[in-house]
């Protein structure tokens, strides 16, 4: 689910070594007889990835494990009670050049739907996306976008108008692959894709994960 350069393009985004570790919480629970994944839309006031769809998460504080950091961030952002969460495991850390974080995804499960309350300083709204929908190939759409002067194919996971891309989609793709997901379909022919430039990107597309 990483953006793909057009054939023949060589992309150099520049060096951006990570300066801080972070953790995200991929939390699943059953609601209305469907297994759901908790996602949030970040506010426009945050320093990085503002307005984007993400997993709850943030920087790891001194003395914290990645699991503790993910649970703390989930509690701070949407009032998840850590006592109700069972940790299932870790995914592969992912370096996010635009923000300089090395992100450690933590997968977890709640026996019952959590009582969620968003923190308005960090979260604009909450999405409870059904896992079976996200695993369908039809949930993936491609856009041709111009970023930093290059034309890129960018894949998105979609659910009811929510568009999940970049680092979040890449972390989820590893988890979905473990669950048997074959991966996103290939992008359609270029003539069937609209070209979006840096200036007309959707609100959730600001920045480059």
């Amino acid at each position: 689910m990483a953006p793909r350069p057009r054939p023949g393009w060589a992309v150099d985004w520049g060096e951006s070594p990570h300066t801080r570790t972070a953790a995200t919480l991929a939390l699943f629970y059953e609601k209305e007889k469907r297994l759901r994944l908790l996602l949030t839309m970040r506010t426009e006031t945050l320093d990085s990835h503002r307005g984007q769809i993400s997993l709850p998460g943030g920087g790891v504080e001194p003395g914290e494990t990645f699991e503790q950091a993910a649970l703390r961030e989930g509690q701070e952002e949407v009032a998840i009670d850590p006592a109700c969460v069972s940790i299932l495991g870790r995914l592969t850390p992912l370096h996010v050049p635009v923000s300089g974080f090395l992100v450690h995804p933590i997968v977890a499960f709640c026996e019952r739907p959590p009582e969620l309350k968003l923190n308005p300083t960090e979260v604009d709204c909450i999405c409870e996306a059904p896992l079976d929908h996200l695993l369908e190939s039809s949930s993936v759409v491609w856009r041709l976008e111009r970023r930093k002067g290059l034309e890129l194919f960018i894949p998105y996971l979609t659910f009811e108008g929510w568009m999940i891309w970049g680092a979040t989609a890449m972390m989820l793709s590893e988890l979905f692959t473990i669950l048997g997901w074959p991966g996103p379909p290939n992008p359609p022919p270029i003539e069937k894709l609209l070209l979006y430039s840096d200036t007309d990107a959707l609100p959730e597309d600001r920045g480059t994960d």
Side-chain angles (χ1 to χ4, degrees), residues 3 6 15 39 46 109 112 127 131 145 148 169 181 200 207:
R6 292 273 299 280
E15 294 185 4
L39 296 162
L46 294 173
F109 179 74
R112 62 181 184 275
C127 175
L131 177 61
E145 301 191 13
K148 297 188 177 182
W181 189 55
D200 62 8

Side-chain angles (χ1 to χ4, degrees), residues 148-182:
K148 297 188 177 182
L150 299 177
E151 292 182 1
L152 300 174
F153 289 105
I154 298 183
Y156 294 77
L157 289 163
T158 61
F159 173 65
E160 295 185 351
W162 290 63
M163 300 184 71
I164 309 155
W165 71 288
T168 299
M170 292 165 66
M171 289 183 281
L172 291 178
S173 70
E174 180 183 13
L175 175 58
F176 294 171
T177 300
I178 293 171
L179 298 176
W181 189 55

